[in-house]
Amino acid sequence: MHIPIKVDYGVRALVDLALHVEDQPIRASEIAGRTLIPEPYLAQVMHALGKGGMVRSQRGPLGGHALAMEPKDIRLSMVMDCLGSTENLVACLDNPASCVHVPLCGQKEVWQSVELAVFNILDSKTISDLVSRGRALAASSAEPGAARPLVFRGSESRHARGETEWDL
């Protein structure tokens, strides 16, 4: 199973909006700069999040993007439904006729359990949870003697171009 980069970008954009709620509406260029999301791709993500009811957008010189819901009400499962694919881990979960092994397959229940577990995790986490976790991590890294996060040079530009997906 993989999490599409569009979902990753959507979550990052929503977290950014939640972190800067007092500055809304926020221009796409500001969000893109802080999150390293390519601006043209961010426009597509924000449009989809708007259709999903999570973001509202305003055109014009004073325009930008803002959360349309409270961060505590935006579940990661909602973002996945809005931006992710609807494919199951294995085709037979969608279409039992696609597999000759279905009547005697011992794996089907395992894959259904995996999908349910992933959904339950995504459904239990909100944008507000991620904001809180990010703030806690930032505070702990600011303490004297705290470990600094590793930065891998070169991977930022590849990720910013959308050339990667996160595998689970």
Side-chain angles (χ1 to χ4, degrees):
M1 172 177 197
H2 73 278
I3 304 298
I5 195 70
K6 194 171 188 178
V7 173
D8 176 49
Y9 285 170
V11 170
R12 280 200 269 157
L14 290 167
V15 168
D16 187 75
L17 287 172
L19 283 167
H20 300 93
V21 72
E22 67 281 349
D23 301 328
Q24 294 183 7
I26 301 172
R27 287 195 193 120
S29 60
E30 293 175 44
I31 298 167
R34 288 191 295 255
T35 61
L36 301 178
I37 300 170
E39 198 169 339
Y41 201 72
L42 178 62
Q44 296 173 26
V45 169
M46 297 307 266
H47 179 74
L49 291 171
K51 282 184 155 185
M54 292 172 258
V55 169
R56 67 184 190 309
S57 300
Q58 177 181 329
R59 292 183 178 259
L62 299 176
H65 305 282
L67 292 175
M69 301 171 66
E70 291 294 321
K72 67 180 178 53
D73 296 328
I74 303 174
R75 301 191 171 286
L76 297 187
S77 59
M78 295 166 61
V79 180
M80 185 71 156
D81 286 344
C82 180
L83 299 174
S85 69
T86 57
E87 290 180 28
N88 284 318
L89 289 174
V90 290
C92 64
L93 295 179
D94 279 331
N95 180 11
S98 68
C99 181
V100 297
H101 303 289
V102 168
L104 304 173
C105 182
Q107 297 180 39
K108 184 177 179 179
E109 290 177 4
V110 172
W111 300 128
Q112 285 173 324
S113 296
V114 169
E115 285 195 350
L116 181 61
V118 170
F119 173 80
N120 286 337
I121 290 168
L122 294 174
D123 201 48
S124 71
K125 300 295 178 190
T126 67
I127 295 301
S128 182
D129 294 333
L130 297 181
V131 168
S132 296
R133 180 69 179 140
R135 285 181 174 152
L137 289 170
S140 69
S141 71
E143 295 172 5
R148 299 283 179 212
L150 293 175
V151 175
F152 297 97
R153 299 288 175 215
S155 62
E156 298 96 341
S157 61
R158 183 171 183 250
H159 184 71
R161 290 191 309 264
E163 294 178 3
T164 187
E165 292 185 342
W166 302 109
D167 291 323
L168 293 179

